[in-house]
Every structure is written in structure tokens, then in C-alpha cells.
Amino acid sequence: MKFDNSGLENQTVELSRLDDIMARHGFVRAAQWDYERVTYDRKYVIKEGTYYLRVQGYAIEGDVDSRYALIKLLTPILGKHYYPHGVEYGEDEHFPSSLVGQCQKVLEQVKREIEKAKE
């Protein structure tokens, strides 16, 4: 499920600030990066299953492994995890409305912090 019009897509933010903001909202980058891309995941375990809210971005300046990179964010997505196959993001998936609401709320909080960091 895509969160179109979340306000995060096409935002640009310096990597170290983005790492701090995302960590404060329960997102983990861990090893989900390469020299040009980053992926932040927030895990939700509810009775319907395990879900991941994912925010991805790519470097438009610098490299992710360096001390500086300017990251442009993509549209956030929500997927359901199926063991042992992985995460499915398709439109055929059912996402509980309470979970979708929680995700929208956290994405709005992240957006506000990114905008505040730019001031």
C-alpha cells in the first residue's frame, strides 16, 4: 500500500538528520542501505500479522556511507510480512484501518520534523 500525498515524497534532507528523525519515530535503517539508497522500516506486530512501514530514499548528493549525503525521499509504503517469503506490498493485501491510521499519524510526525529541521 502506498501512502500517496504523505508529504514525504520528494522531500530532501541531510542523512544524519534523517537518521535521527527516523530513529525517534521507531524506524530502523540498520543494514538497509547501499552507496545511493536508504531504507527505513518500522515494524508493527498486531493480531492480523506482522507489517512494515517503509520509507525509502536515494542520495542526490554525496554517498550514504560518507559523512554527508543529501537524501530525496520516495513515497512511503506499507507491507505485510509472510514467513518465509518476505514482505508483500500489493493492492490485493488487506491492511487494518487502525494500522493505516497509525502509519499516517507517524508519517505526518516525521514530515513535520523534517520541515522543522529545514528552518
Side-chain angles (χ1 to χ4, degrees), residues 79-91:
K80 183 173 183 179
H81 182 263
Y82 291 96
Y83 179 83
H85 303 292
V87 181
E88 293 291 332
Y89 301 98
E91 293 182 21

Side-chain angles (χ1 to χ4, degrees), residues 32-62:
Q32 299 292 329
W33 64 274
D34 64 20
Y35 295 105
E36 298 173 348
R37 297 173 294 189
V38 292
T39 300
Y40 298 91
D41 286 329
R42 180 172 170 159
K43 184 177 182 179
Y44 293 89
V45 179
I46 58 177
K47 70 178 183 172
E48 291 89 348
T50 301
Y51 297 84
Y52 288 91
L53 176 58
R54 178 167 277 184
V55 178
Q56 298 171 303
Y58 62 93
I60 57 174
E61 289 180 22

